[in-house]
Amino acid sequence: MLYILIIGCSTSSDDFPRKSIQLYVVFSPGGGTDTQARIISKYANRYFDEELVIVNKSGGGGQVGWNEFSKVKPDGYILTAYNLPHIITQPLVGSTSFSIDTFEPIVNWGGDPTVFAVSSESDIKTLNDLITKAKQNPASITIGHSGKYVGQHLAVLQLEKAAGIELEDVSFQGSAEAYSALLGNHIDVVAGNLSGITRLDTDVRRLGIATEDRHLLAPDIPTVAELGYPDVIMSTDRGIAARKGTPKEVIETLEEGFLKLINDEEFIKEMEQAGAGTLLMNREETLKEIEKRKKEYERLL
């Protein structure tokens, strides 16, 4: 009789992670999501004893990377940075390989409101200048953003509706390209995230921010609401998700580690220095927020 003794061959996920973890960033290097994800990656080894490797897969306002993510093995070794409202709105309006159910949210780390800005050399000095000019010459003003139906694009749509204007919409592969186009005078206005606009410093003039109240990190930027358009409220919220089907034990390990990371005082300070506001939510809070947003955006679209 043959007896086979198997030792140490368990497929248990109790010892996760045993190797480095990849984090898909579905926008180009230099944008808000990429910059903040790289700050997260600096701290990952502290809480996972493994590297978190950033992998950029840009295109289509995030659709290229998230389409690929929908096909990865659900073992926790390939994660993605997600953006709200993008992962909700894009499947609603277009043909994507992913849906909101593709993602298993782990934590939310940031909230990044939309800011409308022009080059510092522009003859547009205020948001009202922009609106007046747009009313005089419909579709003559070009406004760039990081992709169709991302948060900044929705903010543009909100502004057009609220002010009764028509702008010439220009989509880019990511916010870095949109900012370069603005500084190169290829577009007139950009709808960007606060963190990205902050990094442009004196190269741009900030016309308005799409928040209810003035932002703590940028109290000098008037809100679009206070300028007369209270319905223009939009933020790009960012977090980390695993692929649907990832083992429960792996999800719990990831949540525990990332919660410690995003609550690290050094991490929070570095994010603030990058002009990135934090919106820290655990898995349960993130799931509730996504469900609420899903209903809101379905009504909007």
Side-chain angles (χ1 to χ4, degrees):
M1 183 178 295
L2 179 64
Y3 294 92
I4 301 176
L5 180 64
I6 301 176
I7 301 175
C9 296
S10 171
T11 58
S12 170
S13 54
D14 291 345
D15 56 350
F16 175 89
R18 299 185 302 276
K19 60 182 181 180
S20 62
I21 300 170
Q22 293 184 34
L23 179 67
Y24 281 11
V25 172
V26 299
F27 296 99
S28 52
T33 302
D34 177 76
T35 300
Q36 294 173 35
R38 291 182 188 278
I39 295 174
I40 287 174
S41 72
K42 288 175 57 176
Y43 292 85
N45 195 270
R46 185 180 296 184
Y47 297 103
F48 292 105
D49 293 325
E50 293 288 350
E51 282 189 303
L52 183 69
V53 181
I54 304 300
V55 180
N56 293 93
K57 292 184 178 288
S58 61
Q63 291 188 36
V64 171
W66 286 322
N67 281 342
E68 183 170 332
F69 180 70
S70 71
K71 301 176 178 65
V72 305
K73 185 178 180 181
D75 59 5
Y77 285 103
I78 298 181
L79 308 175
T80 189
Y82 68 75
N83 299 66
L84 298 175
H86 316 27
I87 61 172
I88 298 173
T89 55
Q90 289 177 349
L92 292 176
V93 297
S95 177
T96 63
S97 299
F98 70 90
S99 70
I100 188 62
D101 294 330
T102 297
F103 305 90
E104 199 68 81
I106 299 168
V107 294
N108 194 93
W109 84 69
D112 212 349
T114 299
V115 174
F116 298 101
V118 294
S119 165
S120 57
E121 301 171 356
S122 173
D123 60 355
I124 299 173
K125 306 298 184 184
T126 66
L127 187 70
N128 284 331
D129 285 349
L130 168 63
I131 292 169
T132 299
K133 195 171 181 179
K135 286 183 176 179
Q136 291 171 345
N137 299 284
S140 64
I141 297 178
T142 52
I143 184 164
H145 52 73
S146 61
K148 285 286 187 184
Y149 299 104
V150 302
Q152 303 98 306
H153 181 215
L154 292 186
V156 173
L157 298 179
Q158 287 178 337
L159 179 63
E160 288 180 313
K161 181 179 179 181
I165 59 175
E166 183 182 352
L167 302 170
E168 183 63 29
D169 176 76
V170 184
S171 296
F172 290 90
Q173 297 278 352
S175 57
E177 286 88 345
Y179 300 149
S180 294
L182 179 73
L183 299 181
N185 296 315
H186 302 299
I187 56 175
D188 300 310
V189 189
V190 72
N193 290 319
L194 175 60
S195 60
I197 296 295
T198 297
R199 292 196 304 277
L200 297 180
D201 200 20
T202 57
D203 289 334
V204 298
R205 180 181 301 119
R206 298 149 183 83
L207 305 180
I209 186 169
T211 53
E212 294 181 8
D213 303 303
R214 293 211 178 193
H215 201 282
L216 290 174
L217 297 180
D220 58 318
I221 306 177
T223 68
V224 183
E226 73 186 67
L227 296 172
Y229 307 98
D231 293 333
V232 184
I233 304 291
M234 187 55 60
S235 172
T236 296
D237 296 343
R238 300 183 176 99
I240 296 172
R243 172 78 167 81
K244 192 76 170 182
T246 301
K248 177 184 176 184
E249 297 81 3
V250 171
I251 295 292
E252 290 173 348
T253 298
L254 288 167
E255 182 185 17
E256 180 182 0
F258 280 119
L259 275 177
K260 290 177 181 176
L261 190 160
I262 65 176
N263 282 282
D264 186 307
E265 290 185 5
E266 290 181 41
F267 164 76
I268 293 173
K269 183 177 180 180
E270 191 165 348
M271 292 288 274
E272 289 176 349
Q273 289 171 344
T278 53
L279 180 60
L280 309 181
M281 294 189 288
N282 62 27
R283 174 170 159 75
E284 182 180 356
E285 292 167 332
T286 303
L287 287 168
K288 288 180 180 178
E289 180 66 18
I290 287 176
E291 190 58 34
K292 185 185 76 153
R293 298 277 196 97
K294 183 180 176 183
K295 294 175 182 176
E296 289 177 3
Y297 298 139
E298 284 175 346
R299 285 196 299 268
L300 175 65
L301 295 174

